[in-house]
Amino acid sequence: MAAVAIVSPLLGDAFMPECPDDQVEVREASVASPVTGAALVPEEHAAPEKFDDTDSEPDNESSPRPQHVTQRRRLQNSIFSTWLSKRAEKVTKEEVKTAIQNADDEALSIRNLMFKQESTVIIGDPREYQIELFERAKKQDIIAVLDTGTTHLQNVNCVTLVFQQFAVLECNLNQKIDRFCGDMNTDLWTKSVWDKHLQDNMAIVCTAEVLYNCLLHSFISIDRINLLIFDEAHHAKKNHSYARIIKDFYMAEVDLNKRPKIFGMTASPVDAKVDVVQAARELETLLHCQIATTADLSLLRTSISRPTEHVVPYSQLPLPYMTALCSEIHNRFNDMESLGRLFRCAKEATSDLGEWAADHLWSVALTDEEARKIEREVEQTFLSEIEQRPVEILNKNMARVREATEIVKNHTFLPVSFDGNSVSSKVLCLHSYLNSVFERPTDARCIVFVKQRYTARLLAEIFKRIGSPHMKLGLLIGTNAGEAGDVKFSVRQQVLTLMKFRKGDLNCLFATSIAEEGLDIPDCNTIIRFDLYSTLIQYIQSRGRARHKNSKYVHMVEQGNRHHVQAVRDVRKNEDILRSFCEALPADRLLLGNDYDLEDALAKERTHRTYTDPKTGAKLTYRSSLAILAHFPHDHQTALRASYIMTVEDKQYVCEVILPEISPIISVTGRPSARKAIAKCSAAFEACLKLRKAGYLDSNLLPIYHKQLPAMRNAHLALSLKTTNVYDMKVKPDMWEQTWGVIPSELYMTVLDVKDVEALGRPSQPLGLLTRFAIPKLPSFPLHLRPGTASEVSCKPLTNSIEVTHQMLGKLTSFTLRIYKDIFNKTYEINEASMSYWLAPLINYLPDDFVAYEPRSIIDWPVLGHVHENEEISWNMDTPLENLSNRYLIDRWDGGRRFFSIGVAPGINPSDPVPEGCAAHKYMNTILDYTVSLFSKSRARATWRKDQPVMLAHRVLHRRNWLDDWNEAEQNVKTLSYLCPEPLKFSALPTTVAAMGYLFPAIIFRLEAYLIVLEACTKLGLNVKPELALEALTKDSDNTEEHRTEQVHFQRGMGKNYERLEFIGDCFLKMATSISLYAQNAGDDEFESHVKRMLMLCNKNLFGTALKLKLYEYIRTQGFSRRTWYPEGIKLLEGKGFKKTGKEVFKHHLNDKTIADVCEALIGASLLSYNDTGDMDMAVKAVTIFVSNPDHAVEKWGDYYKLYKLPAYQIAASTAWQVDLAAQVERLHSYHFSYPRLLHSAFTHPSYPSGTGRERIPNYQRLEFLGDALLDMACINFLFYRYPDRDPQWLTEHKMAMVSNKFLGALSVKLGFHKHLRLLSSSHIHMIQEYVTEITEADAESHGARDYWTTTKNPPKCLPDIVESYIGAIFVDSKFDYKEVERFFDAHVRWYFEDMSIYDTFANCHPTTYLSNLLTLNFGCTNYRLMSDELPTIIEGAPIRVIAVVMIHDEIITEGVAASSKYAKLKASSKALEMLTGLAPFEYRIQYRCDCSDKKAEDGEDDPPVEEIMGSAI
């Protein structure tokens, strides 16, 4: 493509005619034209988010038909994609423009701010002089010299000009055009990136430095450039980038045909006090151009409005002097270099502005914040010295800065007045003039030009107090702030100030030279030179700001000051000379006879070495080496910079460059030079040569050395919830079979009893469980014996064992097997050697201290003997009727029918029909018929007595899961029965034993679960409470981890699942690994620690460890089952399942993440088991087991500190400043630092240099890494115990408030930590000041509200960071004492969160969360999606827009558009809530055709039929 490099600020009616292809030499690529001066930071768009079709958070989409989820999502994605395409068609250019025009200026990027102002400027009527110059430029290289007002060129050394020019050129050029500046990080772009930009664009607008770096790195060669346009061409001198482009690259191209055409533009070729003609000729020589202007100057005079110039005198000023305040400070601190500039400025201000301004300068320059800036300068100067002086000198100097600050604080400042020397005659003159301009409301605009930034700031302060009420004041200065007392002014502020000035929101600007050159200043009525110009170009360009008709240009001149008078005369005279020079230029002259010899100038520079890469042609020079070194090494994590140390040897300067500590080469010394600047360049040049030779710079001189990043930083460490595998599952503890094959001689008893005996509904007696091994003490657990109530079952082991004889064992065996047969219809073989346990009846009323009794003393021997001797109790007609009461009855032919008899039913006969209200049975004709369960043929053969009595009884509900509450069907089961005794079996088991026997399956199921999980803990070496171990290993549904969603395949009656323990275990795991990494890896930075921690605590690692340990066998996923509670080891002879042979292997499905989650839950269980004592050793041990990583190889908490080797910086002698810092902070939190340097580190921002040698103090990142984990743990502990019934999602949502940057930022200000933060970033300082003001006001206006911090904007990230780093610091300083963390939490955090309900809106009322809860919980709907994608647009300059939709049952109901997916979803959710809130569930189902509840019922497990429940008598 043809390339035109344009940096032409053509605005208003300026004209850039399109150049026909046949009139311009075509070369390969496009190029950029330069803009002078330092680059400023434009605010860029955020990167567009990728397509996001995920559901809203929390993910509550829980399909009732999992097999159809993928198909349904594909359909929904297709619907959304089609809809999005149609929606995008509606986005027109007008819509984008309207959106930008209507947007709040504060919310727009700089690009769109400029687009908002300039995008409609169409240049359609070029003037004659413009066409004339254009035709000349096509024929030869020229420098167009025209008045600023003529061409409407905006001339200024700033990035803003790039955006202004681009906005207009884009609107007027029929070619692709782009714009670049250094603050887009273009200096780190690769050649491939540049090649694409150069290929895609016909013209590029950029700063001079960008083009120069492109040429240096050989991303583009000078012969690829077709046309170079130099705006403000008068800057092409000395080492400016314009001059360097010409000297280093243009002149180096020996083939004249390969050099680009050059078009220069300037209002004057002169920008210094030099001979006008000589300067013009030098500029022509350097740029190889001819100066040209229009042949007919009358055309210019008719095209531009020239202001009327006025000279306004003011009374003679006094000589500079010191005010009383300045003198007091000067007398004590005049030797301090850091205050030298302030002394000079304050002294000058007394003359120029008056005493009030001079004193006010001290008040803004020595605030606490500015004083800290000076202290940092003092410290950096001290640390950069090669010969280290005693630290006491640094302490003294920093203390003196604080003393000066105190003097200013204690000074009484008087108000501005017109009396005495409060304001100068110069200010009074300006006041008089401005008051006349703004005497009444007016549309007038005025710019007051000054030389110094502080002058503009002080004048603005003065006129805020004494100016006319119709003045709307503004400040317009450059961005190069940094010194104490200086104000930070960003590019955005510049643009917004100009926009307000254009609109009339501001009408009087106090401006420095930034407003003279380039920036688009709207037409002004009045330009006032408060400080006179220094050069002709300043005069011409500032006068060019006065474009309005009848405008005035005011020269403020001191009476009797010959220099002022001469300055006015000189600029007018030189302008006439320049005009005459231009008018006299012949059209066809050649560049001959100039006195300026370019070759001589180049020869001087050839004494400096250069390096040209043989492969690419990239060129390294003395000057460019500084820029290249500034980006080495390339590290995105922190702001790294080289430092330069200057020494004097043999009356010459020698510079040593010190690279950041992570660099492969640390130090390089340059060659001696008589000039400091050259010595510095030499050191940088030598360093670059070494880096290139070692291969750390590539052939384009870009850094290829990156800080060594952890190899696993991008590893895929997550596990899928969808991936499931089949694993073995233990259903019996190993202890049962450990002594099979041996007849025991000693047994251990555990007493099984119901605490609330009345809850059973009938009398019962305890049972003894006798085992070969002592069962540990197990917790009681609830059984649901009645609907809606639960009774605890106790399982208490006796202290003493019991010796058993063969006879006694035989009785126990008979009793145990009788329970299996009579109650559960299972007949087992008698094999005492293979039995796991035995049951025994116990006496009814056990004493309180029975656990110490001999087991023999509490066994009910008569019952045991009776059951052993009698298989059943016989009945005949002679049996007394009273013996029919309170008997346990068995249907001989139906194993499911068991009864507890009440007594004889008088007056009822066997042949009577079955009374109404009886339990259902398949035979219901007569009572006798109802009693017998034989099949038809057998019934016909059987004969029964017709005169036998009839009993009243209750049928037993023996298949119930007593661990779970009653469902509705079970509550409504009828149990009343009328029975005849002859067909039934009268069990020898007393009803008290049978009643307890029915509970035994649920009891043994839970006991075995306890024993299995305790075996897991024993295998791991963990001593954990049984109830917590079981909770940690319990997964009661397929989607246990998905909170507030419908549970899939929910297992009832399993008790607590692992989710809460996993939640706190995960937090402890994070803390433990963070502590271990901090203690062992002092050399790691925060990022390396993050990666190492991620490798330890990631689910993939935990899963791998769990697989090796076969932890999956111990996880409980099945609720109570009639299949699994029966004993193993003895052979089943009769009953369901008797045909099975061999040991049955049970399997279960687990996803990988569940297994990893259980590891974290076991850590949580290990922690909570010792909560009463605060001992965390077991949890530490659990972490070591599961992370299985050398970075965490500790067994107890105390081992952490043993790993920690105190670094040199921590134990070095503390400076007075550090001791004072610790004392100040101790007043805020009562902790005394043993090592104040730790606190220094905790308050040191990454942007702050760390120093060298003994004074090297690391930044806060490692301490913040540690403190973040510690604070997390403290917050989780608080919530976990305060809200024992809340699910992890609720805990997480509310924890987010406690650890949010928003809260921690407010806490940082509350504690005053922000005052001690050490950083060099002026932008951060400005943001902190703004935030402190806002949060302080919010606190004051809240009247004690604890959530006042939620009403403000987010704080700068560094503020919450230093709270966490401080917590890390007190933890390390206290020798890893976690109690200090808790003490900090209790003292400063707990108060805000005593009532968590006030943060429900913070956690739950996020629209997406609230919408999800509304749909799933209120409406029972699971078929919904929240989807988003970037809205397509082909409009250049359009802001990025993302659209989100809420889709319900495949129908899009709302949409939201924003700059990011997050806010688009928020808008869409908010709109959906407006539509849905207030709807009744049935209305929702009708309106959105929702059948989710119906499908759920269809797919869910039906309640068991009434016929199978078998009644209830208990």
Side-chain angles (χ1 to χ4, degrees), residues 430-438 446 463 471 508 510 528:
L430 179 63
H431 174 262
S432 175
Y433 196 94
L434 288 177
N435 269 10
S436 66
V437 175
F438 298 103
C446 175
F463 278 88
M471 290 178 66
C508 183
F510 294 97
I528 301 176

Side-chain angles (χ1 to χ4, degrees), residues 804-817:
V804 291
T805 63
H806 178 72
Q807 182 182 9
M808 184 189 305
L809 193 62
K811 291 182 179 181
L812 292 172
T813 301
S814 296
F815 181 81
T816 303
L817 297 183

Side-chain angles (χ1 to χ4, degrees), residues 171-182:
C171 195
N172 288 276
L173 289 182
N174 191 24
Q175 299 288 349
K176 282 210 68 177
I177 183 171
D178 212 333
R179 74 277 177 269
F180 305 113
C181 58

Side-chain angles (χ1 to χ4, degrees), residues 47 117 230 514 551 621 665 777 780 943 1016 1118 1166 1512:
Q117 297 182 82
F230 289 107
I514 191 74
S551 57
T621 68
I665 297 173
K777 184 178 180 181
S780 61
T943 59
Q1118 301 297 323
S1166 302
S1512 173

Side-chain angles (χ1 to χ4, degrees), residues 628-635 638-643 657-668 687 690-691 694 696-697 703-708 1256:
I628 291 172
L629 209 58
H631 297 290
F632 189 88
H634 181 30
D635 179 21
T638 53
L640 302 174
R641 64 178 73 183
S643 56
V657 58
I658 308 295
L659 295 177
E661 59 186 22
I662 67 171
S663 303
I665 297 173
I666 299 299
S667 171
V668 180
K690 282 193 173 185
L691 293 170
Y696 298 126
L697 293 176
I704 57 175
Y705 173 82
H706 295 254
K707 183 179 63 173
Q708 189 65 40
R1256 184 187 177 280

